[in-house]
Amino acid sequence: MSLLPSLTELVCALGHQGALVGVTHECDYPVGVEQLPHLTRSRIAAAASSAAIDAAVVAEGGSLYELDGALLAQLCPDLILTQEQCDVCAVNEATVRRVAAGLPGLPRVESVNPTCLADLDAMFRRIGVLLGAEEEAEALIARFDATVAAIARRRQGRPLRRVLVLEWFDPPFSSGHWNPEIVALAGGVEVIGEAGQRSRRLSWDEVAEADPELIVLSPCGFTIARTEEELSALEARPEWSRLEAVRSGGVTLVDGSAYFSRPGPRLEMSLKIAAAAIDPEACGDLAPREGWRRLPAV
């Protein structure tokens, strides 16, 4: 059983989709996992605005998700995969362990907390061992490394670009954890976010002072369509239209639900999107056709 979308993707990429008996309400990839029983639900309305969601996070002061303990007992898993990284993003680890302790058979609970790309490699290997899929895990890691090498070859001798990844924008939040590393491998320098650190709330003054050449908008948990609904509020900010990236057409909109914020096998695709956004001439053909688009200059 997987209680985190990225872990659901990892289990499937390791060849064990058929072993899953339950997932979260947010698990939507690969095709088919959305039909499995959902063990979680959100306390916040899906249609709430970015500002309303942020206010709810502050008001709740804890996890925004509920776990269906009765259904969990009914499904009777022997392994539960969960996380201890972010209570805003998924059911918190303490809740999962408390519920699991009362289940018959005492299922094993494995919790992950990757903060950097090295941690992600370790997570892939750890889950690979648990599922008897060590070779498959190594293949996923090797595929990411091959993409890193391909981008480095294409960009040899080309200048670095000043990049800001925003994981939320009402209010703005910097990127953190592995994303500054992704930016660096793609040919950029993250101007605010720090590798290995949590994303943090920013002021618009900070964003204006950093004045990046390129901006990647990847709101955590939002699809492109959902983010597009919020763009008018962003564009109404007086600081926004004065940013170099906005004036030059250097803003890229990304499916934050699928990429960047989801530390699973598709982080390799996030790297390709970042490279295409940073250097379209050298790397534009690497990224998928869907899941991202560049906004026009203002």
Side-chain angles (χ1 to χ4, degrees):
M1 176 173 296
S2 169
L3 296 178
L4 193 66
S6 58
L7 289 174
T8 298
E9 290 192 26
L10 178 56
V11 169
C12 295
L14 293 174
H16 288 264
Q17 183 168 346
L20 287 168
V21 296
V23 294
T24 78
H25 67 288
E26 293 183 320
C27 292
D28 55 8
Y29 187 89
V31 174
V33 297
E34 75 282 355
Q35 298 177 9
L36 291 168
H38 292 176
L39 277 298
T40 65
R41 73 177 186 88
S42 175
R43 296 173 179 161
I44 298 176
S49 68
S50 297
I53 292 173
D54 181 72
V57 170
V58 173
E60 288 284 345
S63 179
L64 303 180
Y65 299 90
E66 295 179 352
L67 179 64
D68 190 336
L71 180 56
L72 184 59
Q74 180 182 334
L75 294 172
C76 199
D78 51 25
L79 174 63
I80 300 173
L81 301 177
T82 187
Q83 59 90 44
E84 56 195 270
Q85 187 170 55
C86 178
D87 288 351
V88 174
C89 301
V91 174
N92 66 47
E93 180 194 20
T95 298
V96 176
R97 291 193 181 278
R98 183 177 66 253
V99 173
L103 297 178
L106 291 177
R108 177 171 181 166
V109 176
E110 282 290 325
S111 183
V112 301
N113 181 25
T115 61
C116 61
L117 292 179
D119 287 350
L120 285 164
D121 286 353
M123 183 183 83
F124 280 27
R125 291 185 171 111
R126 178 178 171 189
I127 303 302
V129 169
L130 288 173
L131 299 181
E134 293 95 330
E135 290 185 7
E136 291 83 353
E138 292 299 333
L140 291 177
I141 295 169
R143 189 174 71 188
F144 185 91
D145 291 343
T147 296
V148 171
I151 292 171
R153 285 194 300 270
R154 291 180 178 219
R155 297 207 73 258
Q156 187 172 8
R158 298 172 74 84
L160 299 177
R161 307 292 301 280
R162 298 175 64 256
V163 181
L164 173 63
V165 178
L166 288 178
E167 295 189 356
W168 204 253
F169 47 76
D170 193 9
F173 270 76
S174 68
S175 73
H177 296 113
W178 48 84
N179 280 327
E181 292 179 272
I182 291 288
V183 168
L185 293 172
V189 176
E190 167 61 62
V191 295
I192 295 181
E194 298 182 45
Q197 302 299 312
R198 290 181 177 272
S199 61
R200 66 177 179 86
R201 185 187 298 259
L202 305 174
S203 69
W204 279 108
D205 286 343
E206 285 182 271
V207 176
E209 184 178 352
D211 198 18
E213 297 177 73
L214 302 170
I215 296 175
V216 176
L217 292 177
S218 182
C220 183
F222 276 17
T223 63
I224 281 188
R226 182 69 178 82
T227 302
E228 286 173 336
E229 296 174 7
E230 304 284 324
L231 282 180
S232 59
L234 180 62
E235 292 165 350
R237 297 287 318 184
E239 302 91 347
W240 180 251
S241 61
R242 294 197 292 265
L243 295 172
E244 178 183 349
V246 177
R247 290 185 283 106
S248 66
V251 178
T252 298
L253 181 62
V254 176
D255 185 336
S257 177
Y259 306 115
F260 288 93
S261 298
R262 191 177 286 196
R266 284 192 292 174
L267 208 58
E268 182 217 0
M269 198 60 69
S270 303
L271 174 58
K272 290 179 176 180
I273 291 171
I278 289 169
D279 195 341
E281 182 179 341
C283 302
D285 62 312
L286 292 176
R289 293 184 178 181
E290 299 180 346
W292 69 290
R293 71 179 180 87
R294 191 181 295 272
L295 298 182
V298 173

Short mmCIF file of all heavy atoms in Angstrom, two decimals, residues 127-188:
data_model
loop_
_atom_site.label_atom_id
_atom_site.label_comp_id
_atom_site.label_asym_id
_atom_site.label_seq_id
_atom_site.Cartn_x
_atom_site.Cartn_y
_atom_site.Cartn_z
N ILE A 127 13.46 0.94 -1.53
CA ILE A 127 12.19 0.35 -1.95
C ILE A 127 12.46 -0.84 -2.87
O ILE A 127 11.75 -1.85 -2.82
CB ILE A 127 11.29 1.38 -2.64
CG1 ILE A 127 11.04 2.58 -1.71
CG2 ILE A 127 9.96 0.75 -3.04
CD1 ILE A 127 10.41 2.23 -0.39
N GLY A 128 13.51 -0.73 -3.67
CA GLY A 128 13.88 -1.84 -4.54
C GLY A 128 14.20 -3.10 -3.74
O GLY A 128 13.79 -4.21 -4.11
N VAL A 129 14.92 -2.93 -2.66
CA VAL A 129 15.24 -4.08 -1.79
C VAL A 129 13.98 -4.67 -1.18
O VAL A 129 13.78 -5.89 -1.16
CB VAL A 129 16.23 -3.66 -0.69
CG1 VAL A 129 16.35 -4.75 0.37
CG2 VAL A 129 17.60 -3.35 -1.28
N LEU A 130 13.09 -3.81 -0.70
CA LEU A 130 11.85 -4.29 -0.07
C LEU A 130 10.99 -5.08 -1.04
O LEU A 130 10.30 -6.03 -0.64
CB LEU A 130 11.04 -3.11 0.47
CG LEU A 130 11.58 -2.41 1.71
CD1 LEU A 130 10.78 -1.16 2.02
CD2 LEU A 130 11.56 -3.36 2.90
N LEU A 131 11.03 -4.71 -2.31
CA LEU A 131 10.18 -5.36 -3.31
C LEU A 131 10.92 -6.43 -4.12
O LEU A 131 10.35 -7.03 -5.03
CB LEU A 131 9.61 -4.31 -4.27
CG LEU A 131 8.74 -3.23 -3.65
CD1 LEU A 131 8.23 -2.28 -4.73
CD2 LEU A 131 7.57 -3.84 -2.89
N GLY A 132 12.18 -6.66 -3.78
CA GLY A 132 12.96 -7.62 -4.55
C GLY A 132 13.20 -7.14 -5.97
O GLY A 132 13.21 -7.93 -6.91
N ALA A 133 13.38 -5.83 -6.12
CA ALA A 133 13.55 -5.23 -7.45
C ALA A 133 14.80 -4.37 -7.48
O ALA A 133 14.78 -3.23 -7.96
CB ALA A 133 12.31 -4.41 -7.80
N GLU A 134 15.90 -4.91 -6.97
CA GLU A 134 17.13 -4.14 -6.90
C GLU A 134 17.64 -3.73 -8.28
O GLU A 134 18.08 -2.59 -8.48
CB GLU A 134 18.22 -4.94 -6.18
CG GLU A 134 17.94 -5.19 -4.70
CD GLU A 134 17.27 -6.54 -4.46
OE1 GLU A 134 16.54 -7.01 -5.36
OE2 GLU A 134 17.48 -7.12 -3.38
N GLU A 135 17.59 -4.64 -9.25
CA GLU A 135 18.08 -4.32 -10.59
C GLU A 135 17.24 -3.23 -11.23
O GLU A 135 17.76 -2.33 -11.90
CB GLU A 135 18.08 -5.58 -11.46
CG GLU A 135 19.12 -6.60 -11.06
CD GLU A 135 19.17 -7.77 -12.02
OE1 GLU A 135 18.48 -7.72 -13.08
OE2 GLU A 135 19.89 -8.75 -11.73
N GLU A 136 15.93 -3.30 -11.04
CA GLU A 136 15.04 -2.28 -11.60
C GLU A 136 15.32 -0.91 -10.99
O GLU A 136 15.28 0.11 -11.69
CB GLU A 136 13.59 -2.68 -11.39
CG GLU A 136 13.11 -3.87 -12.18
CD GLU A 136 13.46 -5.22 -11.55
OE1 GLU A 136 14.19 -5.24 -10.53
OE2 GLU A 136 12.99 -6.24 -12.05
N ALA A 137 15.61 -0.88 -9.69
CA ALA A 137 15.94 0.38 -9.03
C ALA A 137 17.22 0.96 -9.59
O ALA A 137 17.31 2.17 -9.86
CB ALA A 137 16.06 0.17 -7.52
N GLU A 138 18.23 0.13 -9.79
CA GLU A 138 19.49 0.61 -10.35
C GLU A 138 19.29 1.12 -11.77
O GLU A 138 19.94 2.10 -12.19
CB GLU A 138 20.54 -0.50 -10.34
CG GLU A 138 21.00 -0.91 -8.94
CD GLU A 138 21.65 0.22 -8.17
OE1 GLU A 138 22.22 1.15 -8.80
OE2 GLU A 138 21.60 0.19 -6.92
N ALA A 139 18.39 0.50 -12.52
CA ALA A 139 18.12 0.95 -13.88
C ALA A 139 17.49 2.34 -13.89
O ALA A 139 17.80 3.17 -14.76
CB ALA A 139 17.21 -0.06 -14.60
N LEU A 140 16.60 2.62 -12.94
CA LEU A 140 15.99 3.95 -12.84
C LEU A 140 17.04 5.01 -12.52
O LEU A 140 17.04 6.10 -13.10
CB LEU A 140 14.91 3.95 -11.76
CG LEU A 140 13.63 3.15 -12.04
CD1 LEU A 140 12.71 3.21 -10.83
CD2 LEU A 140 12.92 3.68 -13.28
N ILE A 141 17.94 4.68 -11.60
CA ILE A 141 19.01 5.62 -11.24
C ILE A 141 19.93 5.86 -12.42
O ILE A 141 20.33 7.00 -12.71
CB ILE A 141 19.79 5.07 -10.03
CG1 ILE A 141 18.88 5.02 -8.79
CG2 ILE A 141 21.03 5.92 -9.76
CD1 ILE A 141 19.47 4.25 -7.63
N ALA A 142 20.26 4.79 -13.15
CA ALA A 142 21.14 4.91 -14.31
C ALA A 142 20.50 5.76 -15.41
O ALA A 142 21.19 6.52 -16.10
CB ALA A 142 21.49 3.53 -14.85
N ARG A 143 19.18 5.65 -15.56
CA ARG A 143 18.49 6.44 -16.58
C ARG A 143 18.57 7.94 -16.26
O ARG A 143 18.80 8.76 -17.14
CB ARG A 143 17.03 6.00 -16.68
CG ARG A 143 16.28 6.60 -17.87
CD ARG A 143 14.90 6.00 -17.97
NE ARG A 143 14.03 6.47 -16.89
CZ ARG A 143 12.82 5.98 -16.66
NH1 ARG A 143 12.34 4.98 -17.40
NH2 ARG A 143 12.07 6.48 -15.69
N PHE A 144 18.40 8.26 -14.98
CA PHE A 144 18.52 9.67 -14.56
C PHE A 144 19.93 10.17 -14.81
O PHE A 144 20.13 11.27 -15.35
CB PHE A 144 18.16 9.81 -13.09
CG PHE A 144 18.14 11.23 -12.59
CD1 PHE A 144 16.97 11.97 -12.63
CD2 PHE A 144 19.29 11.83 -12.09
CE1 PHE A 144 16.95 13.30 -12.19
CE2 PHE A 144 19.28 13.14 -11.64
CZ PHE A 144 18.10 13.88 -11.69
N ASP A 145 20.91 9.37 -14.43
CA ASP A 145 22.32 9.77 -14.62
C ASP A 145 22.65 9.96 -16.10
O ASP A 145 23.43 10.85 -16.46
CB ASP A 145 23.25 8.73 -14.00
CG ASP A 145 23.19 8.70 -12.48
OD1 ASP A 145 22.67 9.69 -11.89
OD2 ASP A 145 23.64 7.71 -11.88
N ALA A 146 22.05 9.13 -16.96
CA ALA A 146 22.30 9.26 -18.40
C ALA A 146 21.72 10.57 -18.93
O ALA A 146 22.32 11.22 -19.80
CB ALA A 146 21.68 8.08 -19.14
N THR A 147 20.57 10.98 -18.40
CA THR A 147 19.98 12.26 -18.80
C THR A 147 20.86 13.42 -18.34
O THR A 147 21.05 14.39 -19.07
CB THR A 147 18.56 12.39 -18.22
OG1 THR A 147 17.73 11.38 -18.79
CG2 THR A 147 17.96 13.76 -18.52
N VAL A 148 21.38 13.32 -17.11
CA VAL A 148 22.31 14.34 -16.61
C VAL A 148 23.50 14.49 -17.56
O VAL A 148 23.89 15.60 -17.93
CB VAL A 148 22.80 13.99 -15.19
CG1 VAL A 148 23.93 14.92 -14.76
CG2 VAL A 148 21.65 14.06 -14.19
N ALA A 149 24.05 13.36 -17.95
CA ALA A 149 25.23 13.37 -18.83
C ALA A 149 24.89 13.95 -20.20
O ALA A 149 25.68 14.72 -20.78
CB ALA A 149 25.80 11.97 -18.97
N ALA A 150 23.72 13.61 -20.72
CA ALA A 150 23.32 14.10 -22.04
C ALA A 150 23.15 15.61 -22.03
O ALA A 150 23.58 16.31 -22.97
CB ALA A 150 22.02 13.42 -22.47
N ILE A 151 22.54 16.16 -20.97
CA ILE A 151 22.36 17.61 -20.86
C ILE A 151 23.71 18.30 -20.73
O ILE A 151 23.95 19.35 -21.35
CB ILE A 151 21.45 17.94 -19.67
CG1 ILE A 151 20.02 17.45 -19.94
CG2 ILE A 151 21.46 19.44 -19.37
CD1 ILE A 151 19.10 17.53 -18.75
N ALA A 152 24.61 17.72 -19.95
CA ALA A 152 25.94 18.31 -19.78
C ALA A 152 26.69 18.37 -21.11
O ALA A 152 27.36 19.37 -21.41
CB ALA A 152 26.73 17.50 -18.76
N ARG A 153 26.57 17.33 -21.92
CA ARG A 153 27.24 17.33 -23.23
C ARG A 153 26.65 18.42 -24.14
O ARG A 153 27.39 19.15 -24.79
CB ARG A 153 27.08 15.96 -23.90
CG ARG A 153 27.94 14.86 -23.33
CD ARG A 153 27.99 13.66 -24.24
NE ARG A 153 26.66 13.09 -24.47
CZ ARG A 153 26.11 12.14 -23.71
NH1 ARG A 153 26.77 11.68 -22.66
NH2 ARG A 153 24.91 11.67 -23.99
N ARG A 154 25.34 18.52 -24.14
CA ARG A 154 24.69 19.51 -25.01
C ARG A 154 25.00 20.94 -24.59
O ARG A 154 25.06 21.84 -25.43
CB ARG A 154 23.17 19.29 -24.98
CG ARG A 154 22.70 18.01 -25.67
CD ARG A 154 21.20 17.92 -25.59
NE ARG A 154 20.68 16.74 -26.26
CZ ARG A 154 19.56 16.73 -26.98
NH1 ARG A 154 18.85 17.84 -27.12
NH2 ARG A 154 19.13 15.62 -27.55
N ARG A 155 25.19 21.15 -23.29
CA ARG A 155 25.36 22.51 -22.79
C ARG A 155 26.82 22.89 -22.53
O ARG A 155 27.09 23.94 -21.97
CB ARG A 155 24.56 22.71 -21.50
CG ARG A 155 23.05 22.56 -21.67
CD ARG A 155 22.31 23.36 -20.62
NE ARG A 155 22.38 24.79 -20.89
CZ ARG A 155 23.18 25.64 -20.28
NH1 ARG A 155 24.03 25.22 -19.35
NH2 ARG A 155 23.15 26.94 -20.57
N GLN A 156 27.72 22.06 -22.94
CA GLN A 156 29.13 22.33 -22.67
C GLN A 156 29.52 23.69 -23.24
O GLN A 156 29.31 23.98 -24.42
CB GLN A 156 30.00 21.23 -23.27
CG GLN A 156 31.47 21.35 -22.89
CD GLN A 156 32.26 20.14 -23.34
OE1 GLN A 156 31.76 19.28 -24.05
NE2 GLN A 156 33.51 20.07 -22.91
N GLY A 157 30.08 24.55 -22.39
CA GLY A 157 30.54 25.86 -22.81
C GLY A 157 29.46 26.92 -22.91
O GLY A 157 29.75 28.07 -23.24
N ARG A 158 28.22 26.56 -22.58
CA ARG A 158 27.12 27.53 -22.67
C ARG A 158 26.92 28.19 -21.31
O ARG A 158 27.18 27.58 -20.26
CB ARG A 158 25.85 26.83 -23.15
CG ARG A 158 26.01 26.24 -24.54
CD ARG A 158 24.83 25.40 -24.96
NE ARG A 158 23.66 26.22 -25.30
CZ ARG A 158 23.46 26.77 -26.49
NH1 ARG A 158 24.37 26.63 -27.45
NH2 ARG A 158 22.37 27.45 -26.74
N PRO A 159 26.45 29.43 -21.27
CA PRO A 159 26.36 30.16 -20.00
C PRO A 159 25.25 29.64 -19.09
O PRO A 159 24.22 29.11 -19.55
CB PRO A 159 26.05 31.60 -20.44
CG PRO A 159 25.37 31.44 -21.77
CD PRO A 159 26.04 30.26 -22.42
N LEU A 160 25.48 29.77 -17.78
CA LEU A 160 24.44 29.45 -16.81
C LEU A 160 23.39 30.55 -16.80
O LEU A 160 23.68 31.72 -17.07
CB LEU A 160 25.06 29.32 -15.41
CG LEU A 160 26.12 28.24 -15.22
CD1 LEU A 160 26.67 28.30 -13.80
CD2 LEU A 160 25.53 26.86 -15.49
N ARG A 161 22.15 30.18 -16.48
CA ARG A 161 21.06 31.15 -16.43
C ARG A 161 20.57 31.28 -14.98
O ARG A 161 20.57 30.31 -14.22
CB ARG A 161 19.88 30.69 -17.32
CG ARG A 161 20.26 30.36 -18.75
CD ARG A 161 20.70 31.58 -19.53
NE ARG A 161 19.67 32.61 -19.61
CZ ARG A 161 18.62 32.58 -20.45
NH1 ARG A 161 18.46 31.55 -21.28
NH2 ARG A 161 17.75 33.58 -20.47
N ARG A 162 20.12 32.49 -14.62
CA ARG A 162 19.61 32.75 -13.27
C ARG A 162 18.13 32.38 -13.23
O ARG A 162 17.31 32.96 -13.94
CB ARG A 162 19.83 34.21 -12.91
CG ARG A 162 21.30 34.62 -12.89
CD ARG A 162 21.51 36.09 -12.65
NE ARG A 162 21.02 36.48 -11.32
CZ ARG A 162 19.89 37.13 -11.10
NH1 ARG A 162 19.09 37.48 -12.10
NH2 ARG A 162 19.53 37.46 -9.87
N VAL A 163 17.80 31.40 -12.38
CA VAL A 163 16.47 30.78 -12.39
C VAL A 163 15.82 30.86 -11.02
O VAL A 163 16.49 30.71 -9.99
CB VAL A 163 16.58 29.29 -12.82
CG1 VAL A 163 15.19 28.64 -12.87
CG2 VAL A 163 17.28 29.16 -14.16
N LEU A 164 14.52 31.06 -11.02
CA LEU A 164 13.73 30.98 -9.80
C LEU A 164 12.60 29.98 -10.01
O LEU A 164 11.80 30.13 -10.94
CB LEU A 164 13.13 32.34 -9.43
CG LEU A 164 12.15 32.35 -8.25
CD1 LEU A 164 12.84 31.92 -6.96
CD2 LEU A 164 11.51 33.72 -8.09
N VAL A 165 12.56 28.94 -9.19
CA VAL A 165 11.45 28.00 -9.20
C VAL A 165 10.50 28.38 -8.07
O VAL A 165 10.90 28.45 -6.91
CB VAL A 165 11.93 26.54 -9.00
CG1 VAL A 165 10.73 25.58 -8.97
CG2 VAL A 165 12.90 26.15 -10.10
N LEU A 166 9.26 28.66 -8.42
CA LEU A 166 8.24 28.98 -7.42
C LEU A 166 7.31 27.78 -7.24
O LEU A 166 6.68 27.33 -8.19
CB LEU A 166 7.42 30.21 -7.86
CG LEU A 166 8.12 31.56 -7.79
CD1 LEU A 166 7.19 32.67 -8.30
CD2 LEU A 166 8.58 31.87 -6.36
N GLU A 167 7.24 27.27 -6.00
CA GLU A 167 6.39 26.14 -5.69
C GLU A 167 5.00 26.58 -5.23
O GLU A 167 4.13 25.74 -5.00
CB GLU A 167 7.05 25.25 -4.64
CG GLU A 167 8.33 24.60 -5.14
CD GLU A 167 8.88 23.56 -4.19
OE1 GLU A 167 8.31 23.39 -3.08
OE2 GLU A 167 9.88 22.91 -4.54
N TRP A 168 4.80 27.88 -5.11
CA TRP A 168 3.50 28.47 -4.76
C TRP A 168 3.63 29.95 -5.06
O TRP A 168 4.74 30.48 -5.05
CB TRP A 168 3.17 28.23 -3.29
CG TRP A 168 1.71 28.26 -2.93
CD1 TRP A 168 1.03 29.24 -2.26
CD2 TRP A 168 0.76 27.24 -3.22
NE1 TRP A 168 -0.30 28.90 -2.12
CE2 TRP A 168 -0.49 27.67 -2.69
CE3 TRP A 168 0.83 26.01 -3.88
CZ2 TRP A 168 -1.66 26.91 -2.80
CZ3 TRP A 168 -0.32 25.25 -3.97
CH2 TRP A 168 -1.53 25.69 -3.45
N PHE A 169 2.54 30.62 -5.38
CA PHE A 169 2.72 32.05 -5.64
C PHE A 169 1.65 32.95 -5.04
O PHE A 169 1.62 34.15 -5.32
CB PHE A 169 2.86 32.34 -7.14
CG PHE A 169 1.85 31.70 -8.05
CD1 PHE A 169 0.57 32.17 -8.14
CD2 PHE A 169 2.24 30.62 -8.83
CE1 PHE A 169 -0.34 31.60 -9.00
CE2 PHE A 169 1.33 30.04 -9.70
CZ PHE A 169 0.04 30.52 -9.79
N ASP A 170 0.80 32.43 -4.18
CA ASP A 170 -0.12 33.31 -3.45
C ASP A 170 -0.31 32.76 -2.03
O ASP A 170 -1.31 32.11 -1.75
CB ASP A 170 -1.47 33.40 -4.17
CG ASP A 170 -2.34 34.53 -3.62
OD1 ASP A 170 -1.82 35.33 -2.81
OD2 ASP A 170 -3.52 34.61 -3.99
N PRO A 171 0.69 33.02 -1.15
CA PRO A 171 1.90 33.83 -1.31
C PRO A 171 3.01 33.04 -2.02
O PRO A 171 2.92 31.81 -2.13
CB PRO A 171 2.30 34.13 0.14
CG PRO A 171 1.86 32.90 0.88
CD PRO A 171 0.56 32.50 0.23
N PRO A 172 4.06 33.72 -2.49
CA PRO A 172 5.14 33.00 -3.16
C PRO A 172 5.95 32.15 -2.20
O PRO A 172 6.21 32.55 -1.06
CB PRO A 172 5.99 34.12 -3.76
CG PRO A 172 5.71 35.31 -2.89
CD PRO A 172 4.29 35.18 -2.46
N PHE A 173 6.33 30.95 -2.67
CA PHE A 173 7.23 30.06 -1.93
C PHE A 173 8.37 29.68 -2.85
O PHE A 173 8.17 29.35 -4.02
CB PHE A 173 6.50 28.79 -1.48
CG PHE A 173 5.85 28.87 -0.14
CD1 PHE A 173 4.67 29.58 0.03
CD2 PHE A 173 6.41 28.25 0.98
CE1 PHE A 173 4.05 29.66 1.28
CE2 PHE A 173 5.81 28.33 2.22
CZ PHE A 173 4.63 29.04 2.37
N SER A 174 9.57 29.71 -2.30
CA SER A 174 10.74 29.26 -3.06
C SER A 174 10.70 27.75 -3.22
O SER A 174 9.92 27.05 -2.57
CB SER A 174 12.02 29.65 -2.32
OG SER A 174 12.13 28.90 -1.11
N SER A 175 11.56 27.25 -4.07
CA SER A 175 11.75 25.80 -4.14
C SER A 175 12.77 25.39 -3.09
O SER A 175 13.43 26.23 -2.48
CB SER A 175 12.24 25.39 -5.53
OG SER A 175 13.59 25.78 -5.70
N GLY A 176 12.90 24.11 -2.89
CA GLY A 176 13.88 23.59 -1.94
C GLY A 176 14.17 22.14 -2.24
O GLY A 176 13.94 21.66 -3.35
N HIS A 177 14.71 21.43 -1.24
CA HIS A 177 15.03 20.02 -1.38
C HIS A 177 15.88 19.76 -2.62
O HIS A 177 16.94 20.33 -2.77
CB HIS A 177 13.73 19.19 -1.39
CG HIS A 177 12.98 19.28 -0.10
ND1 HIS A 177 11.76 19.90 0.00
CD2 HIS A 177 13.29 18.88 1.15
CE1 HIS A 177 11.32 19.85 1.25
NE2 HIS A 177 12.24 19.24 1.98
N TRP A 178 15.42 18.95 -3.55
CA TRP A 178 16.18 18.53 -4.72
C TRP A 178 16.08 19.52 -5.88
O TRP A 178 16.87 19.46 -6.82
CB TRP A 178 15.68 17.16 -5.20
CG TRP A 178 14.18 17.14 -5.30
CD1 TRP A 178 13.42 17.58 -6.35
CD2 TRP A 178 13.28 16.75 -4.28
NE1 TRP A 178 12.09 17.48 -6.04
CE2 TRP A 178 11.96 16.95 -4.78
CE3 TRP A 178 13.44 16.21 -2.99
CZ2 TRP A 178 10.82 16.67 -4.03
CZ3 TRP A 178 12.30 15.92 -2.25
CH2 TRP A 178 11.02 16.15 -2.77
N ASN A 179 15.11 20.43 -5.87
CA ASN A 179 14.87 21.26 -7.05
C ASN A 179 16.02 22.21 -7.39
O ASN A 179 16.32 22.40 -8.58
CB ASN A 179 13.55 22.02 -6.91
CG ASN A 179 12.37 21.12 -7.25
OD1 ASN A 179 12.49 20.25 -8.10
ND2 ASN A 179 11.25 21.34 -6.60
N PRO A 180 16.70 22.85 -6.43
CA PRO A 180 17.88 23.63 -6.82
C PRO A 180 18.96 22.79 -7.50
O PRO A 180 19.68 23.28 -8.38
CB PRO A 180 18.36 24.21 -5.49
CG PRO A 180 17.11 24.34 -4.67
CD PRO A 180 16.33 23.10 -5.01
N GLU A 181 19.06 21.52 -7.12
CA GLU A 181 20.00 20.62 -7.80
C GLU A 181 19.54 20.34 -9.22
O GLU A 181 20.37 20.28 -10.15
CB GLU A 181 20.12 19.31 -7.03
CG GLU A 181 20.79 19.41 -5.68
CD GLU A 181 20.83 18.05 -5.00
OE1 GLU A 181 19.87 17.70 -4.28
OE2 GLU A 181 21.82 17.32 -5.19
N ILE A 182 18.24 20.15 -9.40
CA ILE A 182 17.69 19.94 -10.74
C ILE A 182 18.02 21.14 -11.63
O ILE A 182 18.45 21.00 -12.78
CB ILE A 182 16.16 19.73 -10.67
CG1 ILE A 182 15.83 18.38 -10.00
CG2 ILE A 182 15.53 19.82 -12.05
CD1 ILE A 182 16.14 17.18 -10.84
N VAL A 183 17.82 22.34 -11.08
CA VAL A 183 18.13 23.56 -11.83
C VAL A 183 19.60 23.59 -12.22
O VAL A 183 19.96 23.91 -13.36
CB VAL A 183 17.74 24.81 -11.00
CG1 VAL A 183 18.33 26.07 -11.62
CG2 VAL A 183 16.24 24.93 -10.87
N ALA A 184 20.47 23.25 -11.29
CA ALA A 184 21.91 23.28 -11.56
C ALA A 184 22.30 22.29 -12.65
O ALA A 184 23.08 22.60 -13.55
CB ALA A 184 22.68 22.99 -10.28
N LEU A 185 21.73 21.09 -12.58
CA LEU A 185 22.04 20.07 -13.59
C LEU A 185 21.49 20.45 -14.96
O LEU A 185 22.01 20.00 -15.99
CB LEU A 185 21.48 18.72 -13.16
CG LEU A 185 22.12 18.08 -11.92
CD1 LEU A 185 21.34 16.85 -11.49
CD2 LEU A 185 23.58 17.72 -12.20
N ALA A 186 20.45 21.28 -14.97
CA ALA A 186 19.82 21.69 -16.23
C ALA A 186 20.50 22.91 -16.84
O ALA A 186 20.16 23.30 -17.96
CB ALA A 186 18.35 21.98 -15.99
N GLY A 187 21.44 23.51 -16.13
CA GLY A 187 22.17 24.65 -16.68
C GLY A 187 21.82 25.98 -16.07
O GLY A 187 22.08 27.03 -16.65
N GLY A 188 21.27 25.95 -14.85
CA GLY A 188 20.89 27.20 -14.21
C GLY A 188 21.47 27.34 -12.81
O GLY A 188 22.12 26.44 -12.29
#
